[in-house]
Structure formats: C-alpha cells, structure tokens
C-alpha cells in the first residue's frame, strides 16, 4: 500500500471516529437538556477514570462517608476490574455509577508524548468496527456487574 493511500485510510478512520463521538455526544447533550436535576438548579458530577484500585480503596469509602455518589469509568480489560468485580458490584449497589471506558482504553499514538501507546492500543490503528465492538463488549461486562443496560457513552454506549 503506498503512503498516500495509507494516510487517506487513516484520515477517513479518524473522521469516522470523530463523527461517531459527535453523534454520541449530541445524544447525551439532548438527554441532559433539562432546567433542573432532582428539583435543583445545578448538580456537581464527580467522575473517576480508569478503574484504579485507589477508587475502591480510598475514593468510594470517602464518598460514602459524605453520602456522595460518583461515576467510575471502567476499562473492561483492566485487572483492577476483573480482580475486584465483587467490590465494583458493591459500589454500584451503593448508588455509584459504573461507566464504559472501553475494553482496552485506546489512545492516539501519533500525538506528542504518546510513546507509551503501543501497537494494539493505538487508536489510529482502530477500525470503527473494532471501536464499536469493544464498547459493546465492555457494556456487556458492565451489565454483568451492575445489571444496568444501555445508558449513554461515556456512561454506557448505545450501539
């Protein structure tokens, strides 16, 4: 494959991913187009990415102590999820929300300072099919943990 054709394919994949993200974001914005939340004029949303052990060990107990709730975005393939499913299930039962941070958390490896992004997790190598498939797989895992189905991305993807 010549270099020009390769760059056109990569650009098309990036454009498609951008359109997918915009579509999903517009769905989420439409869902949040209300003047109040539980009778209040505003709300503060506490979100935590990557399903870190510290979230279960420190953050959730602190939130619980103040009767606050958080949204935790889980990476489906993370050992911090698979090794602690019972604790994530308990967090959901306590009212914390579990969100979809995809199966493998791909990142664009072509950006400066992203040399830590290796081969298979380089978003520039993803097809739209692969990205949507990984979101669906992670949704299935999240449903198995908390019993909830098909909320919005980044909470849950509807694909």
């Amino acid at each position: 494959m010549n270099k020009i054709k390769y760059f056109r394919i990569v650009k098309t994949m990036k454009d498609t991913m951008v359109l997918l993200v915009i579509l999903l974001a517009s769905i989420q914005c439409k869902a949040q187009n209300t003047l109040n939340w539980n009778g209040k004029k505003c709300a503060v949303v506490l979100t935590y990415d990557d399903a870190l052990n510290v979230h279960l060990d420190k953050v959730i107990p602190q939130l619980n102590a103040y009767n606050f709730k958080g949204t935790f975005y889980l990476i489906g393939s993370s050992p911090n999820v698979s090794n602690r499913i019972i604790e994530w299930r308990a967090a959901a039962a306590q009212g914390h929300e579990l969100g979809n941070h995809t199966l493998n958390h791909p990142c664009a490896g072509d950006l400066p300072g992203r040399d830590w992004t290796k081969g298979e997790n380089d978003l520039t190598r993803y097809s739209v099919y692969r990205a949507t498939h990984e979101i669906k797989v992670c949704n299935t895992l999240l449903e198995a943990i908390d019993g909830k189905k098909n909320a919005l991305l980044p909470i849950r993807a509807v694909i």
Side-chain angles (χ1 to χ4, degrees):
M1 178 181 311
N2 69 32
K3 198 171 187 177
I4 293 173
K5 187 174 182 182
Y6 170 78
F7 285 116
R8 283 185 185 150
I9 291 171
V10 170
K11 183 177 179 347
T12 302
M13 285 175 34
K14 285 181 185 178
D15 291 346
T16 304
M17 289 299 291
V18 167
L19 288 173
L20 180 63
V21 169
I22 290 169
L23 172 66
L24 292 172
S26 68
I27 292 169
Q28 183 176 3
C29 290
K30 191 171 196 168
Q32 295 178 358
N33 192 16
T34 59
L35 297 177
N36 62 49
W37 178 81
N38 288 348
K40 309 293 182 197
K41 290 185 180 182
C42 67
V44 174
V45 179
L46 303 172
T47 63
Y48 302 87
D49 285 359
D50 301 337
L52 304 176
N53 283 322
V54 71
H55 296 158
L56 290 167
D57 298 336
K58 304 284 185 187
V59 175
I60 290 174
Q62 278 302 132
L63 291 173
N64 289 344
Y66 292 97
N67 200 27
F68 291 165
K69 303 303 174 200
T71 300
F72 296 85
Y73 293 103
L74 278 58
I75 301 169
S77 65
S78 171
N80 297 341
V81 174
S82 60
N83 294 336
R84 301 183 76 176
I85 285 178
I86 293 170
E87 293 166 274
W88 286 113
R89 185 171 288 132
Q94 295 163 358
H96 300 286
E97 190 166 34
L98 305 183
N100 188 333
H101 214 29
T102 72
L103 185 62
N104 292 309
H105 194 320
C107 295
D110 61 348
L111 298 175
R114 293 284 178 94
D115 44 330
W116 49 267
T117 302
K118 303 292 183 216
E120 287 300 309
N121 286 335
D122 184 346
L123 185 58
T124 62
R125 297 179 184 200
Y126 266 51
S127 67
V128 172
Y129 171 80
R130 180 176 176 193
T132 56
H133 179 72
E134 288 190 11
I135 291 167
K136 288 177 183 179
V137 170
C138 194
N139 274 349
T140 301
L141 173 64
L142 290 168
E143 184 180 355
I145 295 171
D146 67 10
K148 295 180 182 176
K149 187 176 185 113
N150 288 337
L152 298 173
L153 185 70
I155 299 166
R156 296 281 166 81
V158 181
I159 296 179

